[in-house]
Amino acid sequence: MEWETVIGLEIHAQLSTKSKIFSGSSTAYGAEPNTQASLIDLGMPGVLPVLNKEAVHMAVKFGLAIDAHLAPRSVFARKNYFYPDLPKGYQISQYELPIVGIGHMDIELEDGSIKRIGVTRAHLEEDAGKSLHEDFQGQTGIDLNRAGTPLLEIVSEPDMRNAKEAVAYMKKLHALVRYLGVCDGNMQEGSFRCDANVSVRRPGAEFGTRAEIKNLNSFKFIERAINHEVERQIDIIESGGKVVQETRLYDPDRNETRSMRSKEDANDYRYFPDPDLLPVELTPEFIESVRATLPELPNAKKVRFMDAYKLSAYDADMLTQSRDVADYFEAVAQACGDAKLAANWVNGELAAALNRAGIELADVPVTADAFAGLLKRILDNTISGKIAKEVFDAMWNGEGDADTVIDKKGLKQITDTGAIEAMIDDIIAANPKQTEEYRAGKDKLFGFFVGAAMKASKGKANPDQVNAILKQKLAG
């Protein structure tokens, strides 16, 4: 009998506030250890936390974007546990009354169908510090710069049935929080990470015992970790064993999960309302003021791109996965006047160059205006699409705008009909055997002649003219 996988994700999105959720300490990444931790973050006696209003604003913004219930009254609680990088001995979080209640996200599956994933809740909380091991042989260092950093923990329903669905859901959330501007989504710096709760069961049976895989910060690792955990649990059950409820870590080098600690239940944390913080009460006026700040969301933008620019669903989907990419595309499309050409180049050459360089669009060395300038030279037949790639590489390397590169390298397209005819006459004369075979019906040889013509012109002959003249000449 088949096994069914059950997956729920707890995603931690670090909110993009300048200061921490309960203190004025900076949240800037990369500072020297323990230089951004105040007495409040350390939980010293006699200090009191003060809630950061911007964190509340961002949580409400997220709740509105997933069509969630917003609690008119939410409460902060103390989640009690001991850990070396949690100096207070408790984490300020929300428990029974979170600020964002039930909502949903729709994901697109590989077969093109849409699946709705339930969001159980999204609550505000502070992050803990960080344990350091690399520079402390046989010891552990503690960096409390992260202590008190605002997090929005987004808890899903156990609605996902395989690792690919989990990745699709996480990517959708990743794009959404970046569109909203509530999280920078930087997974390498830990700004967006998740815990995956994984169990297996026979179809229709009750949920099995779940294991939690902690701190996954890569889409690739999430998929691999879940797949490994599913296989591990099935092997245990089919061997007559029982899965233990526990927290596990994923080791990407060995592609395996391993036990970290037993998994606590909520009762073990002895939650109780934090006496130092008042309940958060949201007025309808505040909620509406936040709603007014919502940007155009990815799904709406995708539909608009398909309608306004006549793009395919695939192109529109690719272009709207990132707000930066969508904005860049629109600027290029409007400046060059050909949305389809702009989509092809942004999704193709530009995306490949970003991937090769390992950089984000914010750091791209070719501005949208300059990129549009390159596409204009394709549209007015100054250069061919093939030559345009050479020009783009030069622009990427800082050699100037499209016109400068074209002039400097002598890349203008050859459109002189007489010159192209003379070149093709020479090619036909130099290849009598291929000419005879083509005229005898071997049509595939046409590509040979096109290639020879483009090679002879160093890629600068107008392809349309080459094709037309070749057909005429080869027809005899």
Side-chain angles (χ1 to χ4, degrees), residues 4 62-63 121 205 224 277 325 386 466:
E4 183 179 61
F62 174 79
R121 55 188 276 153
R224 292 171 63 186
L277 286 161
V325 172
K386 183 176 181 181
V466 167

Side-chain angles (χ1 to χ4, degrees), residues 5-142:
T5 303
V6 178
I7 304 166
L9 298 185
E10 298 173 10
I11 293 176
H12 292 84
Q14 179 178 322
L15 298 176
S16 299
T17 57
K18 292 182 180 177
S19 59
K20 295 184 178 178
I21 188 169
F22 300 120
S23 81
S25 301
S26 172
T27 56
Y29 179 82
E32 286 294 315
N34 298 310
T35 59
Q36 295 180 171
S38 71
L39 296 178
I40 294 174
D41 305 322
L42 300 177
M44 299 300 283
V47 297
L48 292 173
V50 178
L51 179 59
N52 186 333
K53 184 178 179 181
E54 188 60 20
V56 176
H57 186 283
M58 290 179 174
V60 171
K61 198 171 185 179
F62 174 79
L64 290 169
I66 62 166
D67 198 23
H69 170 74
L70 295 172
R73 182 176 183 273
S74 62
V75 173
F76 283 99
R78 291 185 179 181
K79 181 181 181 182
N80 296 275
Y81 64 99
F82 173 78
Y83 214 69
D85 55 16
L86 187 67
K88 294 197 293 282
Y90 62 85
Q91 177 190 26
I92 302 177
S93 181
Q94 294 187 314
Y95 179 49
E96 291 181 316
L97 297 171
I99 190 166
V100 177
I102 293 174
H104 60 83
M105 286 287 294
D106 291 339
I107 61 172
E108 187 171 331
L109 305 184
E110 288 186 320
D111 63 2
S113 62
I114 302 297
K115 181 173 182 176
R116 175 155 292 185
I117 306 297
V119 173
T120 312
R121 55 188 276 153
H123 59 261
L124 286 166
E125 66 181 23
E126 62 178 348
D127 205 352
K130 182 180 180 182
S131 298
L132 307 173
H133 305 286
E134 291 184 358
D135 298 327
F136 301 90
Q137 189 172 8
Q139 297 178 310
T140 298
I142 301 295

